[in-house]
Amino acid sequence: QKEVEQNSGPLSVPEGAIASLNCTYSDRGSQSFFWYRQYSGKSPELIMSIYSNGDKEDGRFTAQLNKASQYVSLLIRDSQPSDSATYLCAHTTNQAGTALIFGKGTTLSVSS
Amino acid sequence: ETGVTQTPRHLVMGMTNKKSLKCEQHLGHNAMYWYKQSAKKPLELMFVYSLEERVENNSVPSRFSPECPNSSHLFLHLHTLQPEDSALYLCASSQKAEDTQYFGPGTRLTVL
C-alpha cells in the first residue's frame, strides 16, 4: 500500500529559526510532490510543488527532493508565528487517474 | 480564493434529516474530490470523480451519496447521518486526477 509518512509533531521552533519538515514515501514511481499548509479549521492551501531531485526555493520556503532516498522536505527560513499550522506532504502515484496520496501532516508551532 | 467554492459553509442537521453539500469549481478542471476531516485527524479521501465519472470510492457508508452532474459541480447528498459524521467536509479539484489539487473552504457539518 502506498504511504506517506510524516512526524505528527508538534515541531516547536522559536521565531526567526529554520523549521525543517520531513516526509518519506513508499511509492518509487511517484513523480510529483507537494506541500500544503492547513491552518486550524481551514482548508489546505498549496505552498510548494517539486518534480525534480534537488532544491526548489520560493521566498522563505525551500522544498528538497531526493527520489533515491524517497524523501521530500520543506525548510521554512526566518519562521514567523503566522507559519504555525499543519503541513501536509502529498505526492502523485504512477497510476493515471489516481488521486494524490496525502500524509497525516506535521504540526508546526512558532513561538514569538 | 482558490476558485473552488462550497455551500453551505456551516450546517447543523439531525440524524433523520436529508441535506446536500454543494461544490463548484471555476478553474476548468476535470477532476473533483470529496474529503472528510474529523477534528485533529488527517484528511480522508471519500470520492473521486474524473470527467464526471466516479473513479474512486474509499469504502464510504451509503448514507453519503455523491453526484457529479458536470465537470464544474459536485454534490454530496447526506441522509440518516450519525453524530460521528460531524466533521469538516472538503471539496477539491484538479486538472486531472493525478494533478495538484485546489481545495474549497469546506463545510463544517454538525450532526445532532
Side-chain angles (χ1 to χ4, degrees):
Chain A
Q1 183 174 352
K2 301 177 175 62
E3 292 185 349
V4 177
E5 296 290 335
Q6 292 184 258
N7 188 327
S8 62
L11 173 65
S12 297
V13 299
E15 184 175 359
I18 296 175
S20 178
L21 305 162
N22 299 309
C23 170
T24 59
Y25 59 94
S26 60
D27 183 3
R28 286 192 170 275
S30 299
Q31 297 297 316
S32 306
F33 301 83
F34 309 93
W35 283 99
Y36 287 80
R37 177 177 63 199
Q38 186 176 24
Y39 292 113
S40 181
K42 303 295 185 182
S43 61
E45 58 178 321
L46 180 70
I47 54 173
M48 289 285 286
S49 58
I50 186 166
Y51 308 100
S52 305
N53 280 328
D55 295 359
K56 179 181 177 182
E57 188 174 318
D58 183 0
R60 295 186 297 112
F61 298 96
T62 299
Q64 300 174 318
L65 175 60
N66 185 322
K67 290 186 179 180
S69 300
Q70 294 176 247
Y71 83 80
V72 57
S73 61
L74 180 70
L75 300 178
I76 306 175
R77 291 181 299 281
D78 189 23
S79 296
Q80 302 297 310
S82 58
D83 295 326
S84 298
T86 297
Y87 290 80
L88 304 172
C89 171
H91 70 85
T92 57
T93 73
N94 59 359
Q95 295 177 314
T98 306
L100 297 184
I101 306 295
F102 279 89
K104 296 183 177 181
T106 297
T107 299
L108 172 66
S109 177
V110 181
S111 56
S112 56
Chain B
E1 287 294 328
T2 61
V4 182
T5 59
Q6 290 187 243
T7 55
R9 296 292 305 276
H10 299 272
L11 178 62
V12 179
M13 59 187 289
M15 289 190 287
T16 58
N17 291 158
K18 289 185 180 180
K19 297 286 184 183
S20 295
L21 309 184
K22 179 182 176 182
C23 176
E24 183 174 0
Q25 56 95 1
H26 310 273
L27 301 170
H29 288 167
N30 293 310
M32 297 186 76
Y33 313 79
W34 280 117
Y35 287 89
K36 173 186 177 183
Q37 190 174 39
S38 301
K40 300 190 186 301
K41 292 192 175 178
L43 289 171
E44 298 176 45
L45 179 63
M46 300 176 73
F47 300 104
V48 179
Y49 277 83
S50 179
L51 296 173
E52 301 149 46
E53 288 190 19
R54 190 190 305 178
V55 295
E56 278 190 55
N57 173 358
N58 287 352
S59 303
V60 179
S62 60
R63 57 186 183 270
F64 296 92
S65 175
E67 178 190 1
C68 187
N70 55 61
S71 59
S72 299
H73 294 86
L74 184 65
F75 295 89
L76 187 63
H77 304 298
L78 316 171
H79 64 97
T80 60
L81 294 192
Q82 305 298 310
E84 60 264 29
D85 296 322
S86 299
L88 180 67
Y89 287 84
L90 292 161
C91 174
S93 73
S94 64
Q95 183 58 45
K96 296 180 296 184
E98 59 269 30
D99 284 345
T100 310
Q101 292 180 20
Y102 296 90
F103 286 83
T107 295
R108 175 71 61 187
L109 173 67
T110 301
V111 181
L112 301 176

